[in-house]
Amino acid sequence: MGLGFLIGLICVCSSILFPVSASIHEYRNEAFIPQSNASFFHGGSEGLYASKDHNASKDQTSSTSLNNKSLKGKSFIRFETVTFVRTKESASKQYAMHPNTGLVEAIILEVKDRERIGGSFLKSNAICCNPSLADSGSCKLGEVIIQNNVDNPNWPRRIQTSFEGNKEEVTMKNIEVEISSTGMYYLYFMSCDPLLKGTRIKGRTVWRNPDGYLPGKMAPLMTFYGFMSLAYLALGLIWFLRFVQLWKDITQLHYHITAVIALGMCEMAVWYFEYANFNSTGSRPMAITLWAVTFSSVKKTVSRLLLLVVSMGYSVVKPTLGGITSKALILGIIYFIATEALELVEHLGNINDFSGNTKLFLVLPVAFLDSCFILWIFSSLARTLEKLQMRRNMAKLELFRKFTNSLAVSVILSIAWIGFELYFNATDPLSELWKIAWIIPAFWSLLAYSLLVVICVLWAPSQNPTRYAYLEETGDDFEEEGISLTTGGTKVGGDMGAKLERKERKASSATDLVYGLGEDVEEDKRE
């Protein structure tokens, strides 16, 4: 089996075990990992676009500042104070006068060229050149085997650094490697010298795209979050104007909707500024990212609670949620904690901090809580529709049917998208489709926004609030019918409404089986 498969396996493992969280890759005295007849260290992987400015065709020694305007349009990987440290035992075995007593190679490759690393094209499983291959002239002894690309002879790129004498440390030159071809790039530091076993690495590399330091996979998201900020702003302005115009007819539900719009606006704006800062500096300050993550978690939690209270018929079928309020709040708090933990792992994790198992451990609680919300929302909707049908509130019934249909469509789309996401990740383990990977998180933001728009349209402030508002009297249902469906404002006596109310109580008591919803019976009595 050739090294192409091995490099593919390493790429998969490294993308799971070593998620990169910034374009400045820090190496904090970390160890090389033995593999076959070599030792390697994964230095990072990112999608990079080709440089727009090709004035510098050769690699340069560089001390350019990150904020230098001359970098605009350039795409590169820069090595800054990358230092290799071998063990004292290894250094003591060398002679002080020898110029080259240990070789470490930095290998930069595009993922499509992974089969060119190692001896697979020579029908060998070796990563490093061995005496038999060296004798045949296929490679140089002590170096990583690389089959150069015919179309681009300098790639995959090899940068060599040698220890001198019996010194324990050696530092690479601050080389800047320009990227002239768009692709997913991987960086590995590799050594073929068995005496360098136990070698460690420290320093950093800086990766840059033509328009900034955002990785190629994330770059489109900055534009997307900017667009979504404007979308929430437009929705907020329309809602605010309607809110002010009809403020006398505002219900508590309208305040809840306003809060979700405001949170969504803040969430998208903070994410945009977080990405813009990342793009300009190459790093993610914890304070800004923490604010973005927290806004996102709060907004997700409040949005689900809004769907839940709407499904229960709050301010439409019932004036309060009664004892259910505490249960909904507890579920919301637990969901917020689980979501915040997952988001922090995804956005604040360092290269070696979290494994795939850790992330999976945090994803499962969020998925379970989402299932609880969905089950509770649809069971509440079923009960609300039943109440409205028994009371013959046709206007409200039609309103909730539209909401139920919209929610059902969103759930179907969510399930389909989860299937697509699983397929996408399974068929693209090496991130070769990095250019379109941004649509995965973008879809969920669009879906949440679409549902919010539906709620805003259905429950928009109106001069005829009886279309959705709860009226205290038991004759509320028939008054609504008279006001909303006729022009004469005809009212039906309260006796018949009371009879229907009693029937509704009996029917609802038989269906209160999920999440302790039987407390609605006591609430109806209080009404």
Side-chain angles (χ1 to χ4, degrees), residues 220-232 268-269 271-272:
L221 285 173
M222 184 174 74
T223 304
F224 172 77
Y225 286 133
F227 170 79
M228 289 304 299
S229 298
L230 295 177
Y232 271 100
M268 293 297 111
W271 274 122
Y272 173 79

Side-chain angles (χ1 to χ4, degrees), residues 29 32 35 64 78 129 132 140 155 172 190 200 222 224-225 235 269 314 361 407 437 485 509:
N29 200 32
F32 279 61
Q35 185 68 51
T64 310
R78 179 194 296 150
C129 188
S132 61
K140 291 183 180 180
W155 288 89
M172 288 184 65
M190 306 183 77
R200 308 184 78 84
M222 184 174 74
F224 172 77
Y225 286 133
L235 179 62
Y314 173 64
F361 176 76
L407 200 59
L485 299 180
S509 63

